Every structure is written in structure tokens, then in C-alpha cells.
């Protein structure tokens, strides 16, 4: 039984390079998607903090000062 024509080494190399290129494009795409998910997560966290500040009736500067005082107290302990 005759088999089909065998690929040359150059064809095999080209096929592997195409596969690698496609996989690299996929990895880059997945990295971009992951970064977008991190941005969304950060935005939601910031919205939650903003709501807490608003509910407490504080200004962002007041909260920043309180956090600085807390960190200084904690570092001194």
C-alpha cells in the first residue's frame, strides 16, 4: 500500500513555526484578557471603597489622613 508523499524537513519546520506563532498569538490574547479582568476587579474594589467613604460622610482626603495615621501608629508598634 503506497503512502502519501512525505513532508520535507523544511515543511515540518515551517509547520511547527506556524503552530508556535499561533500559540504565541493566543497567549498574548489571553494575557490581554487577564489584564482586563484585573482592571475590572480593581474598578469594583475602588467603587466599593468609594461607596464606604460616601456612606460614612467623609471626604477622600480625610480617609487618606486617617489611613496615614493608622499606618504610622502601626509602624511605631
Amino acid at each position: 500500500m503506497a503512502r502519501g508523499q512525505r513532508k520535507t524537513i523544511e515543511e515540518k519546520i515551517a509547520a511547527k513555526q506556524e503552530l508556535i506563532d499561533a500559540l504565541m498569538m493566543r497567549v498574548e490574547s489571553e494575557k490581554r484578557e487577564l489584564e482586563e479582568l484585573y482592571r475590572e476587579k480593581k474598578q469594583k474594589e475602588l467603587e466599593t471603597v468609594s461607596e464606604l467613604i460616601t456612606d460614612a460622610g467623609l471626604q477622600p482626603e480625610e480617609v487618606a489622613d486617617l489611613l496615614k495615621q493608622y499606618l504610622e501608629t502601626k509602624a511605631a508598634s
Side-chain angles (χ1 to χ4, degrees), residues 34-50:
L34 180 59
E35 286 301 317
E36 180 59 31
L37 290 171
Y38 279 131
R39 278 191 290 277
E40 286 179 28
K41 179 182 177 198
K42 185 175 183 178
Q43 184 64 35
K44 286 184 180 187
E45 290 170 346
L46 290 172
E47 288 172 4
T48 300
V49 171
S50 180

Side-chain angles (χ1 to χ4, degrees), residues 6-18:
R6 298 188 67 165
K7 289 185 179 180
T8 66
I9 191 72
E10 289 82 12
E11 290 171 325
K12 290 179 183 179
I13 290 170
K16 284 295 176 189
Q17 188 61 54
E18 286 179 27

